Each structure stands twice: as structure tokens, then as C-alpha cells.
Amino acid sequence: MSLLVVGLSHRSAPVSVLERAALAEDTKAKLLLDAVAAESAAEAAVLSTCNRIELYADVEKFHAGVAGLSTLLAQHSGVTLEELTPYLYVHYEDRAVHHLFSVACGLDSMVVGEGQILGQIKDTLGLGQELHTAGRLLNDVFQQSLRVGKRAHSETGIDKAGQSLVTFGLDQLARAIGGTDSFGEWAGGKRALVVGAGSMSSLAATTLARAGVSEIVVANRTEERAKRLAQAVGGRAVRMDEVAAELPSADIVVSCTGATGQVIAAETVFRALLSRTATSPIGLLDLAMPRDIDPVVHTLDGAHLVDLETIGNAAQDAPMAADVDEVRKIVSSEVAAFGAAQRAAHITPTVVALRSMAADLVAGELARLHGRLPDLDDKSRAEVTQTVRRVVDKLLHAPTVRVKQLAGEPGGAGYADALRELFDLDPQAVAAVSRADSPSTDEPNRGRA
């Protein structure tokens, strides 16, 4: 079985396509369950963020896997396969691992170096474990990607190169409205409205509070969550149907909900502008996918909208830090190490089965010898037993150590087959070792093996 990823992101598709293909939470679960129910995948995990949708799977055959995963993405995203196909990318085996590690380090993010992706990868693995669609391979590769991402942030200055989408977007507003590169300078004393209470909205509210805004108002469909977030940042909570009434007095609006339709219509913003007493424009930051704020707001005088499309265009011109090259080296070395470890682990059941067969042969031959020499004293019997076992161990030591080394190299997967063929090992015995060494579905936080 091999790792395969099929997906689309801000690098391969326009925001309009990503918006239509966005997956709701319940849709992600259905997609994963359907993926492992199909013959093409044994394990599955879906990484769905505001700027990417990727389906990872452990597949037996490449072409069947690509066809199956692409079809599932189309079925569950609501975008036809014909429309989706031109924007899909495919990575397989080591290239798939390289892609995931790069994503975890923030190298593939809209804002290079942002660290929020690590939390999203952790959530992806958590959902796969909860639904038992993530087994040995996906558990290994996703957990390692988290370690690689943390290593990149701790050992390099990649954090200097990247900002979160929140800070990058707010900086764009400050530059456009306040004429300054410092969001903190522009935001001080302003009133802010945060729509949504998820992780991105919480980050936005915290960032606004640190910047010294005079008031933060939080609106969310679940009032209790709005109250918790508002209390954490010293603001106040309102109902979602009160957003229109709060808009005229807001200087900064940040929206990121999980709604499938628009939350703030252009007409609502237009009416807010008519009743607004402040002379400065309203700055609106839309971080949702699909969009929360009607893109027609871009055309309204007195309002400046920054959305994911705006951020994507601006991020292309952002300078890349020298540390990015260092992170790329970390990713390459980690991919090589992960591949070697996986290939070496692949041959372990075969080596264990070989040693088990040898132990059975030794036991059988010693039993026959002791039957022929019943008068052999215990000391001599023990010496003969130890000598035979030592001879077999020495004969097997060099080839089994070497075959593990060779299996860890690129193209080394065939050594397990050669070992089984040369020693006429029972495939069922090898499979039994693999099953015994697989993670149990009853263990907490482990996936389906």
C-alpha cells in the first residue's frame, strides 16, 4: 500500500472554485467513510482549510486510487468531476510525503510560514482517528508531519517570513485605509466587529485586543460561544441577527464562519455606510471559505474589503526569507528519513517470520536428536542446544541485518519479496506478524489498521 494525495488549493484553483468545493464538517465525515468503504483506499484523511481541500489515502493501485479519490471529492464537494479535474493535483508515495511535510511547515500556505496549519493538520488526524479511517500509514505520516512542522518553526526563522492570515489581512487593511504598514498603529482606539467564534475568529479577536481597539463585539450563531470569546477579549456578545445594527458603528469587521451562504450582504453594508457617522472607511476582512461577505462590497465607496483572493494576490509579492531554503532542506531530509523508516518497517514482518521458521526448524531437529540420544546428559544436551542455536543465529545475522539496510534504500521494497521467495516463507505467517504488530482500533487515539 502507498500514500496518495489528491487535492486542490489556492495554488491550483481560483477562489471561486475553492469556494464552491468547500466541505462542511458533516461532509468531511461522510467523505472519509465513503473513501474507506471503496475498494481503492484502505485508509483516508481529509485536510480542508480556507485555501485547500486534500484527500489523503493509503491505496494499493495508483490509477485506481486517483480515479476513486477524484470521484469522491467531486461527489462530496458538489462540483462536477469535469469542472474539478483541471484544478486537481496528485502526489504519490515520497512526493505525497514531501507535499504534506511542506504544508505542515507553512511552505505551501497562502502566507508562507504561517503556523495555523499545524492545528488544522492535528484536527485532520483527530477526525481520522475518531472515525477509524486513519490507520498505521496515515497515523505515522501525519504525526511525523506535525513534528517536522514544529522542527521547522523552532530551528529556523520561518516565523519571520510568515504571518497568520489574520495579521496579514489586517495589515492589508491598515495599508489601504490608514496608509501605514503597522496595523497596531492604525487599529488603536477603533471599534471592531468579529463575526464567528471559531479558531480563526478567536485569533482575530485576540489580535485586535492586543492592538488596542477600543471595543470588540462578537457575533455568532451559538450565543454561548460568542459570550465566551467576548469575555476572553474583554468585549461584548450579540446575536447574529444584530450584525446589521452593529455595522454602522464598526471601523473594522472580521468575518470567518462555517456558513455555506453569505453572512453579510452588500446591501447590508451599503445601508450601514448611509447611516455611518464616522468619515473613515469601514475595513472588512473576510477569511471564510465559502465567502461570508458579498464580494460586491469591493465596489462600494466608503468600504474596503480584503478577502482570501485579495490576500492571495498580495502574498505573491511578499518577500521570501532566506530561512525558507533552510526549511526546504529540513523537509527533504525528513522525507528521506521517513521513507527509509517505512521501507525498513515493511521488511520487518518477513525477517521475524524467517527467524520464527528457523527457530521451529532448530526445535524440531533438537527434538529428533534428543530422541536418538536418550542417554545424553543434561550438560551435554544444553551444550548441543546452545551450539545449534548459535550457528543458526550467526548464519541469519548478516543477511537479515543487510536486508534491513537495503530495504531502507530507494527501491528496496522488493527485498522482502526476494526473502520470502528464497526461504519459501509462508505468506500467511508474514501476514500474521503484520497483524500482530498493527495498532488496535480499541486503543485510544489510534486509527483503523
Side-chain angles (χ1 to χ4, degrees):
M1 304 295 279
S2 302
L3 182 66
L4 172 69
V5 56
V6 177
L8 65 160
S9 74
H10 64 99
R11 295 187 182 277
S12 70
V15 170
S16 58
V17 174
L18 288 171
E19 189 174 28
R20 292 174 56 208
L23 302 174
E25 287 300 318
D26 58 341
T27 305
K28 294 180 193 177
K30 185 68 165 61
L31 171 59
L32 291 179
L33 294 174
D34 286 351
V36 296
E39 294 183 359
S40 56
E43 307 175 27
V46 61
L47 177 58
S48 179
T49 71
C50 58
N51 52 37
R52 76 178 61 250
I53 304 164
E54 296 177 341
L55 184 55
Y56 291 78
D58 184 8
V59 300
E60 186 173 358
K61 297 180 180 178
F62 172 75
H63 293 292
V66 171
L69 298 191
S70 301
T71 300
L72 285 169
L73 277 175
Q75 289 174 348
H76 289 277
S77 68
V79 181
T80 67
L81 185 59
E82 291 73 17
E83 291 178 280
L84 203 59
T85 298
Y87 306 109
L88 292 177
Y89 48 78
V90 174
H91 299 294
Y92 188 56
E93 294 185 331
D94 284 353
R95 290 302 307 168
V97 177
H98 189 283
H99 175 74
L100 178 58
F101 287 5
S102 297
V103 169
C105 293
L107 293 179
D108 198 58
S109 295
M110 186 174 286
V111 180
V112 174
E114 59 92 11
Q116 290 170 276
I117 188 65
L118 285 174
Q120 293 161 335
I121 289 175
K122 186 177 180 180
D123 291 342
T124 293
L125 177 58
L127 180 61
Q129 291 172 336
E130 178 185 340
L131 297 176
H132 302 299
T133 64
R136 172 180 294 281
L137 177 59
L138 292 186
N139 268 285
D140 286 350
V141 73
F142 271 85
Q143 287 171 355
Q144 185 62 26
S145 74
L146 292 171
R147 288 189 281 268
V148 173
K150 291 174 182 177
R151 179 188 169 192
H153 283 282
S154 65
E155 295 183 11
T156 74
I158 190 68
D159 290 327
K160 300 174 186 176
Q163 304 165 280
S164 70
L165 285 176
V166 171
T167 54
F168 193 90
L170 291 174
D171 281 348
Q172 295 299 306
L173 288 178
R175 197 167 293 122
I177 300 175
T180 175
D181 289 333
S182 172
F183 166 71
E185 293 179 6
W186 171 69
K190 289 182 169 53
R191 297 183 71 256
L193 171 63
V194 176
V195 184
S199 58
M200 193 77 79
S201 297
S202 298
L203 177 60
T206 303
T207 304
L208 290 164
R210 289 175 179 170
V213 296
S214 62
E215 183 183 20
I216 298 177
V217 178
V218 180
N220 191 61
R221 295 191 186 281
T222 306
E223 291 185 50
E224 188 58 37
R225 293 188 67 184
K227 290 178 181 178
R228 283 201 301 268
L229 177 56
Q231 184 178 12
V233 295
R236 62 184 176 88
V238 298
R239 301 188 308 273
M240 284 294 287
D241 58 12
E242 296 179 275
V243 167
E246 294 290 338
L247 275 174
S249 56
D251 301 301
I252 304 168
V253 179
V254 180
S255 187
C256 186
T257 73
T260 55
Q262 289 178 357
V263 176
I264 302 176
E267 182 180 356
T268 304
V269 177
F270 179 70
R271 289 177 179 172
L273 292 171
L274 291 178
S275 58
R276 182 173 169 79
T277 57
T279 57
S280 61
I282 299 178
L284 301 102
L285 176 58
D286 185 358
L287 298 173
M289 182 62 68
R291 283 179 269 218
D292 279 346
I293 302 175
D294 189 340
V296 174
V297 171
H298 280 294
T299 66
L300 298 180
D301 291 334
H304 188 85
L305 172 62
V306 171
D307 54 22
L308 290 176
E309 193 164 21
T310 311
I311 291 174
N313 293 332
Q316 290 179 0
D317 300 324
M320 298 281 284
D323 297 278
V324 169
D325 289 334
E326 191 174 345
V327 173
R328 289 189 177 125
K329 292 177 182 177
I330 288 175
V331 169
S332 296
S333 66
E334 289 284 358
V335 170
F338 182 82
Q342 290 291 306
R343 288 187 290 270
H346 176 70
I347 204 168
T348 297
T350 303
V351 172
V352 172
L354 172 60
R355 288 191 171 277
S356 177
M357 182 188 75
D360 290 342
L361 289 174
V362 168
E365 290 302 320
L366 287 173
R368 277 191 287 273
L369 176 63
H370 297 330
R372 296 191 192 101
L373 303 173
D375 298 330
L376 201 63
D377 61 84
D378 291 342
K379 182 178 180 181
S380 300
R381 192 184 302 273
E383 188 64 36
V384 169
T385 298
Q386 185 177 2
T387 299
V388 173
R389 286 176 177 168
R390 189 162 49 240
V391 168
V392 173
D393 283 342
K394 287 185 176 181
L395 284 173
L396 290 180
H397 177 73
T400 53
V401 169
R402 185 60 181 146
V403 79
K404 285 184 177 181
Q405 294 172 341
L406 292 171
E409 298 175 0
Y415 285 100
D417 296 331
L419 205 60
R420 287 193 294 269
E421 187 70 24
L422 287 170
F423 287 92
D424 194 24
L425 295 176
D426 182 2
Q428 295 300 322
V430 177
V433 174
S434 298
R435 286 194 298 271
D437 195 39
S438 295
S440 168
T441 56
D442 295 327
E443 294 178 15
N445 298 324
R446 294 309 296 264
R448 185 176 71 94

